[in-house]
Amino acid sequence: MQNILKVTWKRLPLSTNYAIAQAVKDADVDVVSAYPITPQTTVVEKISELIANGELKAEMIHVESEHSAMSAAIGASAVGARAFTATAAQGLELMHELLPIASGMRLPIVMSVAARALSAPISIWGDYSDVMNARDTSWVILIVSSAQEAYDSIIQAYKIAEDPRVFLPVMVAYDGFAMSHTYEPVYVSESPDAFKSYIPKDPKWYTLNPEKPITMGALANPDWYYEFKYQQVVAMKNAYSVVKEADEEYGRRYERKYGIIEEEGVEGSELTILTYGGLYGTVKEAVRRLRESGEKVGIARIRLFRPFPAEDIASLLEKTGAVVVLDRAISFGLDVAGPVAREIITALYSRGIKLPVYSFIVGIGQRTVTEADIIGIYNKAKDYLSKGEAQKESVYWGVRE
């Protein structure tokens, strides 16, 4: 095992986009395919600069669309290259046709997504509508809350994707603009070989080789298609533990780890506020203020969204009195809960845990969410709880009706 003292770190002011570009360099990626889209563009611009400067020996493929970007990543990974791409919003939607192809062919591609609202009307601002639309494509999905976590998670993503128990693509998502263009201090490696033993280049997935010809993505008739899809079910189940293992090993080697759920003060709390992404920082500040006024409130953030950490969520939340879920995407036609709130409800009730879950939709199209908003949401949920009222539909907090 690598001695962590041999790794030299430097502290740089980086946006989350630039932190991801740095991680791509440090992961020694072979092929990057990209098409620009706000607010992702500076990720691949910076990677292009690193390649041009000779800091990263990789092929940069400039394509005509996001559909082509994913197609090129699939082709590169299919011949054993370590592949990366990045996108957001409509770009992810244009890729959508190819997302299940990448996972169905069991290719360990890594992609960053600067989460952004979907058109129409046109919005270039951040929410998680695009990421939530991809939740059933058999991609492992991590949602990070800081530039440092984004850097570390890109490295971990290759560890997860290239594990023989998984062989699935991994998406690392984060807030568009609020994180993508905001600068933070980030520790990056000065040691060129820092991650080589953590993510060695040793392709074990099926690849195209003229000396050992195979067919990939062939037609499967009804007698076998179901079995291929079930193999992905098993791989996703395996990914649950592999994500934990990758994070634990990263922590041992590099002294930073994140787990799959971050929490504080959940046990014994009257109510816990759960969210994801960069909003977590705002929620933490609001919870600090609530605690100072004597409120027993916990806070939690899901880092792993797919596979959904149902067991860990249930084990954690049964220690609180009720849960408020702050979603930054809408499940149209399902008024009872936002996309993550629905997952929480399923995780709890399928395990016999009868816990009130209150669904609030916030920050759509990057509508500002302040500490005062979080305190207002807490008070409304506490009022539900004190009256013993069940929430019949999500609260669309801050919307003008």
Side-chain angles (χ1 to χ4, degrees):
M1 179 175 292
Q2 180 175 339
N3 187 330
I4 59 172
L5 297 177
K6 293 181 181 179
V7 179
T8 304
W9 303 99
K10 57 183 175 182
R11 191 169 183 253
L12 299 176
L14 296 175
S15 67
T16 300
N17 279 358
Y18 282 178
I20 286 170
Q22 185 72 36
V24 168
K25 176 183 80 72
D26 292 343
D28 194 22
V29 167
D30 299 311
V31 176
V32 179
S33 55
Y35 187 82
I37 184 169
T38 302
Q40 168 279 124
T41 304
T42 57
V43 174
V44 292
E45 283 182 346
K46 178 57 71 172
I47 293 172
S48 293
E49 182 182 315
L50 293 169
I51 293 171
N53 292 342
E55 297 178 63
L56 172 61
K57 291 182 173 63
E59 291 293 328
M60 169 64 79
I61 306 175
H62 298 284
V63 295
E64 69 275 14
S65 72
E66 290 85 1
H67 189 282
S68 299
M70 183 53 64
S71 295
I74 287 170
S77 186
V79 296
R82 183 170 283 172
F84 175 83
T85 188
T87 193
Q90 254 47 49
L92 185 59
E93 296 306 296
L94 187 54
M95 283 183 179
H96 198 100
E97 177 188 358
L98 294 156
L99 299 183
I101 293 175
S103 58
M105 291 171 65
R106 310 298 296 278
L107 298 173
I109 299 161
V110 171
M111 172 169 62
S112 67
V113 176
R116 181 186 131 182
L118 295 174
S119 303
I122 295 171
S123 171
I124 64 168
W125 291 277
D127 65 27
Y128 279 79
S129 303
D130 50 2
V131 174
M132 295 303 160
N133 274 9
R135 63 186 179 268
D136 292 330
T137 57
S138 189
W139 280 59
V140 175
I141 301 176
L142 299 172
I143 303 177
V144 302
S145 66
S146 71
Q148 183 69 68
E149 186 182 353
Y151 172 86
D152 296 324
S153 294
I154 291 292
I155 306 293
Q156 289 187 24
Y158 284 105
K159 182 75 168 179
I160 297 159
E162 294 174 4
D163 190 296
R165 293 168 290 177
V166 180
F167 287 158
L168 289 172
V170 178
M171 183 186 305
V172 178
Y174 54 99
D175 293 30
F177 285 110
M179 289 177 62
S180 64
H181 286 63
T182 301
Y183 282 72
E184 304 174 41
V186 179
Y187 287 94
V188 303
S189 173
E190 279 190 318
S191 309
D193 298 334
F195 302 110
K196 283 190 174 180
S197 60
Y198 179 71
I199 46 171
K201 282 190 176 176
D202 183 21
K204 291 186 170 64
W205 60 96
Y206 285 108
T207 58
L208 297 172
N209 183 339
E211 296 180 4
K212 296 180 180 179
I214 61 171
T215 299
M216 299 180 73
L219 177 71
N221 65 25
D223 287 341
W224 286 106
Y225 180 84
Y226 195 178
E227 280 67 32
F228 284 116
K229 294 294 105 179
Y230 186 71
Q231 287 178 2
Q232 290 173 241
V233 171
V234 173
M236 266 293 180
K237 289 180 179 179
N238 292 342
Y240 198 165
S241 59
V242 171
V243 171
K244 294 181 181 180
E245 291 171 16
D247 185 60
E248 286 292 330
E249 183 180 345
Y250 196 90
R252 290 193 300 271
R253 288 173 177 264
Y254 310 114
E255 297 188 306
R256 288 190 299 273
K257 65 178 183 177
Y258 303 92
I260 59 172
I261 304 167
E262 183 178 352
E263 66 90 12
E264 182 184 305
V266 170
E267 187 168 2
S269 62
E270 294 179 356
L271 191 149
T272 290
I273 302 174
L274 182 145
T275 191
Y276 46 91
L279 183 61
Y280 189 62
T282 304
V283 176
K284 285 178 76 172
E285 175 59 23
V287 166
R288 183 188 65 79
R289 297 182 189 182
L290 287 166
R291 287 173 178 164
E292 285 178 352
S293 65
E295 299 294 326
K296 294 181 179 178
V297 54
I299 182 172
R301 170 180 75 92
I302 59 165
R303 176 176 180 248
L304 177 64
F305 178 58
R306 279 292 184 271
F308 193 75
E311 289 290 344
D312 293 74
I313 282 287
S315 297
L316 175 66
L317 294 183
E318 66 179 348
K319 301 171 184 175
T320 189
V323 184
V324 170
V325 181
L326 305 181
D327 262 302
R328 295 180 60 199
I330 300 169
S331 281
F332 293 100
L334 183 70
D335 289 336
V336 72
V340 172
R342 182 182 66 179
E343 307 275 356
I344 299 294
I345 292 167
T346 302
L348 293 173
Y349 280 74
S350 65
R351 288 159 179 80
I353 300 171
K354 302 297 172 62
L355 189 71
V357 177
Y358 304 116
S359 171
F360 286 77
I361 312 298
V362 301
I364 299 302
Q366 207 166 331
R367 176 69 59 84
T368 300
V369 182
T370 66
E371 289 87 349
D373 287 312
I374 303 303
I375 292 170
I377 289 168
Y378 170 81
N379 287 331
K380 187 170 184 64
K382 192 173 179 182
D383 186 55
Y384 279 137
L385 193 60
S386 66
K387 293 177 181 178
E389 294 180 359
Q391 187 189 43
K392 294 183 174 59
E393 60 182 39
S394 297
V395 174
Y396 292 83
W397 187 263
V399 72
R400 294 186 294 272
E401 297 184 5

